[in-house]
Amino acid sequence: MIFGQMKIIDTHTHIYSKEFDDDRSAIINSAKQAGIKAVLLPNEDSGSIASINRLCDEEPDFTFPMIGLHPESVKKDYIKEMQLIEKALAKRRYYAIGEIGIDLYWDKTYLKEQKTVFEEQLRWSIDLQLPVAIHTRDSLDEALDCIYNVGADRLKGVFHCFGGTIGEWDKISKLSSFYIGIGGIVTFKNNTLAETLRHIPVERILLETDAPYLAPVPYRGKRNEPAYITKTADKVAECYKTTREEIAKRTFQNSLDLFNIRLNCIDDEVF
């Protein structure tokens, strides 16, 4: 069986961004040929909403939009940004609130504002009964504090681009309605994620690329794309000592369960 006969969902990819303006159609075709049946598109700020919506209108059975304010986009004008995003949220169906969270890697200047924005968007997700796609970089404890402040038992979602330790997983594992997103990092040499993954139930993972970022080996350093998720699936299968077919099947169902998406392909007998 080849990957083209399998079903995989890339739960986090930015193929609407300018990095793909010259060959977006080719990238989408390559993804479909590789067995990718759907992609989830995380928003960044008010400026990316139109690009996401346009792509979703062009590929309605393949692309599924999220909406939210990325923590790196939280600046002095965050109130205006939140108003624009909330207005857009009311105009069409979105499948998650994201990409939201806290990022303290580059700058801690707007930590207070990031927390305010994150908690407000968590409340949106509760009100609309939508999952959240959470970005944390050097900020897991701060993000968890916000989640518990708002109401952990009323939230569901994914910690996107998980690259953490067993200790970090232990904290996330207590949130029974949350998954972790596994991307190209798991293939990197000297990265501890592969070892950590062996302690995490496969029922709690999703696959993602975060394209154009974090391409897996052997494409590391190049622009990432959804088709490369097959390399991540191979490595995850190795970690679980199972087949890539089984990982594809498990993560596909996990993705459907979390994002509540209906695909035309789900009745196909491909497994």
Side-chain angles (χ1 to χ4, degrees):
M1 181 178 289
I2 61 173
F3 262 109
Q5 297 173 299
M6 300 173 64
K7 298 183 295 191
I8 304 174
I9 295 177
D10 182 351
T11 60
H12 198 107
T13 183
H14 300 261
I15 57 170
Y16 61 86
S17 65
K18 65 181 185 302
E19 286 87 351
F20 297 96
D21 282 351
D22 292 336
D23 61 350
R24 187 172 290 109
S25 293
I27 291 297
I28 290 173
N29 287 335
S30 293
K32 291 177 178 179
Q33 291 172 9
I36 315 304
K37 299 301 183 182
V39 298
L40 277 293
L41 306 179
N43 191 51
E44 296 171 9
D45 52 40
S46 62
S48 55
I49 296 172
S51 297
I52 290 176
N53 289 347
R54 184 166 53 250
L55 180 55
C56 289
D57 288 340
E58 293 170 355
E59 293 279 350
D61 297 322
F62 183 72
T63 56
F64 295 83
M66 307 183 199
I67 193 167
L69 184 60
H70 191 290
E72 289 184 47
S73 296
V74 176
K75 307 296 181 186
K76 289 181 180 180
D77 64 345
Y78 77 91
I79 294 177
K80 180 181 179 181
E81 279 290 301
M82 288 286 281
Q83 290 172 339
L84 291 170
I85 290 171
E86 188 172 19
K87 183 178 180 180
L89 178 56
K91 291 184 176 180
R92 70 182 293 160
R93 181 179 182 184
Y94 292 93
Y95 290 81
I97 303 297
E99 169 178 2
I100 64 175
I102 298 176
D103 191 311
L104 302 180
Y105 182 77
W106 298 110
D107 189 1
K108 297 182 175 70
T109 303
Y110 293 103
L111 174 57
K112 180 180 177 181
E113 291 81 0
Q114 285 191 43
K115 288 181 177 179
T116 297
V117 167
F118 183 37
E119 291 191 4
E120 177 62 14
Q121 292 180 104
L122 291 175
R123 285 188 283 270
W124 290 355
S125 78
I126 292 171
D127 291 342
L128 297 170
Q129 296 185 314
L130 290 174
V132 290
I134 297 178
H135 170 110
T136 59
R137 189 157 49 168
D138 290 355
S139 60
L140 179 60
D141 288 340
E142 289 82 357
L144 289 172
D145 285 344
C146 291
I147 288 170
Y148 284 110
N149 285 342
V150 171
D153 59 329
R154 298 184 295 163
L155 292 161
K156 60 183 178 180
V158 54
F159 284 84
H160 140 70
C161 197
F162 180 78
T165 63
I166 294 174
E168 288 171 324
W169 161 246
D170 286 343
K171 295 176 182 179
I172 293 171
S173 69
K174 294 177 174 61
L175 302 171
S176 60
S177 296
F178 278 80
Y179 298 79
I180 57 169
I182 305 299
I185 291 174
V186 74
T187 70
F188 294 177
K189 186 178 180 181
N190 299 324
N191 186 275
T192 60
L193 178 56
E195 177 58 35
T196 299
L197 205 55
R198 296 184 177 99
H199 300 269
I200 300 174
V202 71
E203 292 80 11
R204 299 288 296 275
I205 70 169
L206 306 176
L207 297 182
E208 63 170 64
T209 59
D210 201 20
Y213 315 108
L214 299 173
V217 174
Y219 307 109
R220 188 176 183 183
K222 299 180 180 180
R223 182 190 65 172
N224 201 2
E225 61 178 87
Y228 295 168
I229 203 170
T230 57
K231 299 300 182 183
T232 300
D234 281 340
K235 183 63 178 181
V236 171
E238 178 185 318
C239 293
Y240 284 101
K241 295 183 174 17
T242 188
T243 64
R244 59 187 189 181
E245 291 84 1
E246 181 64 18
I247 292 300
K249 183 177 181 179
R250 292 290 193 96
T251 58
F252 184 85
Q253 189 60 53
N254 292 348
S255 303
L256 294 179
D257 291 344
L258 177 61
F259 294 107
N260 192 28
I261 57 179
R262 174 74 184 180
L263 301 177
N264 293 332
C265 68
I266 62 173
D267 295 324
D268 296 343
E269 296 294 332
V270 295
F271 287 114

